[in-house]
Amino acid sequence: MSVRTHPSQWVSAQGQYAGSASRFAAYLIDFIASTVIYWLALQLVSFVVEIATGSPVSWHRNNIVVVIIYVAWQFLYFGFQWAADGNTWGMALLGVQVVRADGTRLHPWQGWVRSLTFPLGFLTLGLGFLGILVQREHRALYDLIAGTAVVYAWDARAARLRYLARQAEPVVDQAAAPAPAKPAAAAFAAAVTADGPGPAAQAGSEAGSAAGQDAPAEAGPHPEPAAPGEAPPATEG
């Protein structure tokens, strides 16, 4: 038998601080999703206004009103989801979640504060995100202000680690594997051969012997025993 073993810490990565790649991918998914929703909402508003007034409405990216509404929408998109459940759609897909600095469930107000201070990462020319790369807990500037951290929340990584743990279970070699059990008919035949003939065979044998003993002698003349002093009678030729 050969056994492969792996360290026990491979079993789960849940609760570990999320790295920069997972967090960036989650934000990219959320950015695309929120932008698409915002664009669809603008198109719906334009359609309703055109139906009501009869005049088309166009939206331009350079319009300050459009920019302000977009920034407010981003604040609501992230803030509401963080306050409600500690993660967004993108974070849920990547298996990461926002928690308090001590690892407990996030307070709703912390989610809103994190959403409000999130733009600091861009306003500082990226320096606000530097903590994700260099700090042990991977906390950005807005994480430090809101008292939050980002951890792996479900089996995005633990699924692979559990697979590796299953590979670490004992593996039995084929040579050491037990032989397959014999079929019932073959086992019965082997037992009959080892123990001798069965009762039916023995009964048949005894019946044959008795028939041989009870069979009459060969037909033909049998000389009578001679009296004392007389010669035996001659037999017919």
Side-chain angles (χ1 to χ4, degrees), residues 64-90:
I64 187 63
V65 176
V66 174
V67 174
I68 293 176
I69 295 175
Y70 180 75
V71 173
W73 162 244
Q74 292 291 319
F75 169 74
L76 292 175
Y77 176 89
F78 288 96
F80 178 78
Q81 294 187 79
W82 285 335
D85 197 27
N87 60 10
T88 58
W89 292 346

Side-chain angles (χ1 to χ4, degrees), residues 98-101 106 110-111 114 139 142-144 146-150:
V98 181
V99 296
R100 297 170 62 184
L106 193 69
Q110 289 179 300
R114 192 176 194 270
R139 299 173 67 190
Y142 47 86
D143 285 317
L144 297 175
T148 59
V150 181

Side-chain angles (χ1 to χ4, degrees), residues 122-180:
F122 301 98
L123 296 177
T124 57
L125 303 179
L127 295 178
F129 299 112
L130 191 61
I132 300 177
L133 300 174
V134 301
Q135 194 188 39
R136 183 180 62 87
E137 299 175 350
H138 304 295
R139 299 173 67 190
L141 177 60
Y142 47 86
D143 285 317
L144 297 175
I145 296 174
T148 59
V150 181
V151 298
Y152 290 107
W154 61 291
D155 291 343
R157 287 185 60 191
R160 181 176 181 275
L161 297 177
R162 283 202 303 270
Y163 169 77
L164 295 176
R166 285 196 299 269
Q167 298 300 311
E169 294 177 355
V171 178
V172 181
D173 293 335
Q174 294 294 332

